[in-house]
Amino acid sequence: MSELADAIRAMAQEKGVSEDSIRQTIENTLKVAYKRTFGSEADNAIVTFSDDLSSVNLYARKTIVDGVFDPVKEIDLEDALERNSECALGDEIDIPIDPKKDFERSAVGFGKQIARQGFSESYKTSLYDEYKDKVGEMIIGYYQRQRNNNIYVDLGKVEGVLPGKFQSPIEVYKKGDRIKSLIVGIKKTNSSVQLVLSRTDEKIVRRLLEQEVPEISENVVEIHNVVRDPGYRTKIAVSSVRDKVDAVGSCVGPKGVRIQTVIRELNGEKIDVLEYSPDPVQFIKNALSPAEVLDVKILDEQKKTALAIVEDKQFSLAIGKKGQNVRLANRLCDWTIDVKTEEQAAEMDLSEFEARKAAASLFNDDAPYDSDNNDNENVENAAGSESAEKFDATLADSSENVAEEKSEETLAENNIDNSQPEQKSSDKNASTEDDVDDGEEYFCPECGARITLGMTHCPNCHVEIVFE
């Protein structure tokens, strides 16, 4: 077998490209060199390979004429008959071309350049086709260098880049370190292809769990959602399709072996594996782990807002450092969760919510208060606030007449005692009792309790009051 065939097969094996691709590159190279020698309009070059790739031949296909006008594409009948005695005018005949003798030196150099570009492009296309379907999969490489906050990873056949935005904030690498990452993209470079890697993507936790937990790959345990604060904490919601299989226990493994393997791969990132539940109340309780939740109240199902009640000693654990735990729970459940202690929740009873709704309706003619309205709407208006809003005195004056009509009904609903003592203001700018008009009565625009001029706070709900 000739050297040509050996070279083609060796290149196909080394570069991972097909033999057909290499033959196509060789054919294009010879045709380019032919045009370079005989002119850009010379498109009559024919390239043939033997079946065993032992030889390649180049021909110029010419038309037999009586009187040559274009010697590149035409041949005289007399010359054609010397090559083939059976030819006739109008026939086409292939004239062999020897690149070593017939091609110009510049054409040969240009052809080599085209060949290199062709091989490079074929190699890039082959690599791209190989890795384009691997986006979303894990890959292992080794730290090579760092530039502009980007880490370049040696992946063997290709190079990977780990951008700064996809790096875990707690991870530091040095040359030769092993890096397991997720392929999130692929792009072509001048000479090859480059894989875009990530160590912060939530899918990396999924892939690591799939490798460690056979029940997941067997579709016995299902991962419903994964949320991360990369480098610090991850929450995973799982469930089992079989009653006898513990989803959380399967992921944790005997003595925590399985989950510890994942934690080590993430350089000590904390991982909470919890049970998924279709019941939002139970799911929210689970999502706030490791904190123990006493109760969860759904404030608004459509807006997905809820109130989680915990013991005082569990409050900081439920919130987490800088709100991390409750923030991840919000993302995991896709609910807005407000965490309160028992004492804080007690101050947010339904009567207060209804009173606030009634007070708000006094200033909204388009939305009159309906005492039979859904309790969830009343809870929603008060759930997120820790203190009542400050009301402007002008607003209070404009609602005076309406407040008088509503006061008795509102007080009855909220079980407010009218006998509460009035407080005098110590503020030098506040009014004194001598300024009070005995013929007028004032009521708190927030809860409806009776107030007097000179007060700075409502004696019942403690909302701040300003008189002008």
Side-chain angles (χ1 to χ4, degrees):
M1 187 172 292
S2 71
E3 295 181 359
L4 176 63
D6 291 340
I8 291 177
R9 288 180 172 83
M11 180 174 292
Q13 185 175 5
E14 177 185 354
K15 298 295 186 180
V17 297
S18 64
E19 293 182 4
D20 290 338
S21 176
I22 296 175
R23 284 193 297 179
Q24 185 65 42
T25 300
I26 294 174
E27 180 178 343
N28 293 339
T29 300
L30 291 173
K31 288 183 177 181
V32 167
Y34 180 86
K35 286 186 176 183
R36 187 83 172 186
T37 300
F38 298 103
S40 59
E41 299 298 327
D43 55 358
N44 59 327
I46 303 297
V47 179
T48 61
F49 289 85
S50 60
D51 294 338
D52 59 358
L53 300 179
S54 60
S55 63
V56 57
N57 299 296
L58 175 64
Y59 300 94
R61 181 161 291 178
K62 298 184 179 183
T63 303
I64 301 174
V65 296
D66 187 9
V68 175
F69 177 75
D70 183 359
V72 175
K73 297 182 178 181
E74 298 174 344
I75 185 173
D76 190 77
L77 176 61
E78 184 177 347
D79 295 335
L81 289 173
E82 292 178 359
R83 297 176 180 276
N84 188 346
S85 59
E86 298 181 357
C87 62
L89 287 174
D91 292 345
E92 291 182 336
I93 187 171
D94 293 340
I95 308 300
I97 301 295
D98 186 353
K100 295 181 180 179
K101 296 179 180 180
D102 299 331
F103 284 177
E104 298 176 354
R105 183 180 295 273
S106 61
V108 174
F110 185 73
K112 290 181 179 179
Q113 181 181 352
I114 295 298
R116 284 193 293 268
Q117 293 177 354
F119 288 135
S120 177
E121 193 61 34
S122 297
Y123 180 54
K124 285 193 291 184
T125 301
S126 174
L127 288 177
Y128 188 87
D129 292 339
E130 179 181 351
Y131 285 97
K132 68 180 181 179
D133 296 330
K134 294 185 178 181
V135 174
E137 296 182 4
M138 300 287 294
I139 193 168
I140 298 175
Y142 296 89
Y143 180 97
Q144 194 173 32
R145 67 186 187 279
Q146 184 168 357
R147 186 177 62 194
N148 297 331
N149 202 32
N150 296 327
I151 294 176
Y152 293 87
V153 184
D154 181 9
L155 300 172
K157 296 170 65 175
V158 296
E159 182 182 63
V161 58
L162 185 61
K165 63 181 180 179
F166 294 151
Q167 297 174 25
S168 173
I170 65 170
E171 295 177 350
V172 179
Y173 300 101
K174 59 181 183 294
K175 191 171 183 180
D177 282 353
R178 169 185 169 277
I179 301 177
K180 180 182 282 189
S181 51
L182 187 80
I183 303 174
V184 294
I186 180 173
K187 58 183 179 180
K188 290 185 178 181
T189 61
N190 292 334
S191 59
S192 184
V193 298
Q194 193 175 69
L195 303 184
V196 182
L197 309 176
S198 174
R199 287 280 298 173
T200 59
D201 197 290
E202 293 166 352
K203 290 182 181 178
I204 193 172
V205 183
R206 286 179 177 265
R207 299 294 175 261
L208 291 172
L209 272 177
E210 289 169 358
Q211 293 174 3
E212 296 297 327
V213 184
E215 288 85 351
I216 295 177
S217 57
E218 294 170 0
N219 297 322
V220 176
V221 173
E222 180 182 356
I223 301 176
H224 285 268
N225 197 9
V226 178
V227 293
R228 289 184 73 190
D229 190 352
Y232 302 103
R233 184 178 289 274
T234 292
K235 285 185 179 289
I236 308 169
V238 296
S239 66
S240 173
V241 298
R242 298 179 186 173
D243 295 337
K244 295 183 179 180
V245 177
D246 180 9
V248 175
S250 299
C251 294
V252 173
K255 298 182 180 180
V257 172
R258 293 175 177 176
I259 200 64
Q260 285 299 323
T261 302
V262 178
I263 291 174
R264 283 194 299 271
E265 186 59 50
L266 298 177
N267 286 321
E269 182 174 317
K270 296 179 181 179
I271 299 179
D272 299 332
V273 183
L274 53 96
E275 185 79 24
Y276 168 79
S277 175
D279 178 14
V281 171
Q282 185 60 46
F283 192 24
I284 290 172
K285 285 184 178 181
N286 297 344
L288 286 170
S289 64
E292 296 181 4
V293 181
L294 297 176
D295 192 16
V296 173
K297 296 185 181 296
I298 302 300
L299 306 183
D300 191 318
E301 286 194 23
Q302 293 183 345
K303 295 183 179 180
K304 289 190 173 183
T305 57
L307 175 66
I309 303 173
V310 298
E311 294 181 354
D312 290 352
K313 61 183 180 180
Q314 293 285 320
F315 182 74
S316 60
L317 188 60
I319 295 296
K321 186 177 181 180
K322 297 181 180 179
Q324 181 189 74
N325 193 60
V326 69
R327 185 170 62 251
L328 289 176
N330 287 344
R331 291 168 51 196
L332 187 72
C333 301
D334 194 24
W335 279 70
T336 301
I337 307 170
D338 189 12
V339 180
K340 298 291 183 184
T341 63
E342 292 178 280
E343 183 179 352
Q344 292 171 335
E347 296 175 358
M348 300 170 60
D349 55 23
L350 292 178
S351 61
E352 180 182 348
F353 301 153
E354 292 181 4
R356 292 189 181 189
K357 186 71 174 180
S361 69
L362 299 180
F363 316 113
N364 186 2
D365 295 336
D366 296 331
Y369 172 66
D370 182 3
S371 60
D372 296 329
N373 200 6
N374 191 299
D375 289 341
N376 286 337
E377 295 182 3
N378 299 325
V379 176
E380 177 199 349
N381 291 329
S385 62
E386 296 183 359
S387 62
E389 297 180 356
K390 181 178 180 180
F391 283 84
D392 184 61
T394 304
L395 191 60
D397 291 339
S398 65
S399 62
E400 180 180 340
N401 294 332
V402 183
E404 290 177 358
E405 298 174 1
K406 291 284 185 177
S407 60
E408 294 300 326
E409 177 185 352
T410 306
L411 289 171
E413 292 175 354
N414 290 279
N415 297 322
I416 297 174
D417 188 359
N418 281 316
S419 64
Q420 293 181 354
E422 298 177 357
Q423 299 180 1
K424 296 184 179 180
S425 173
S426 60
D427 191 341
K428 294 181 180 179
N429 296 323
S431 300
T432 63
E433 288 187 349
D434 294 336
D435 298 324
V436 178
D437 186 353
D438 296 332
E440 286 189 78
E441 290 184 326
Y442 298 92
F443 298 91
C444 175
E446 179 68 14
C447 67
R450 183 180 178 185
I451 59 175
T452 61
L453 290 174
M455 288 186 177
T456 58
H457 292 79
C458 173
N460 179 59
C461 68
H462 307 295
V463 66
E464 184 178 355
I465 302 170
V466 178
F467 288 91
E468 290 185 0

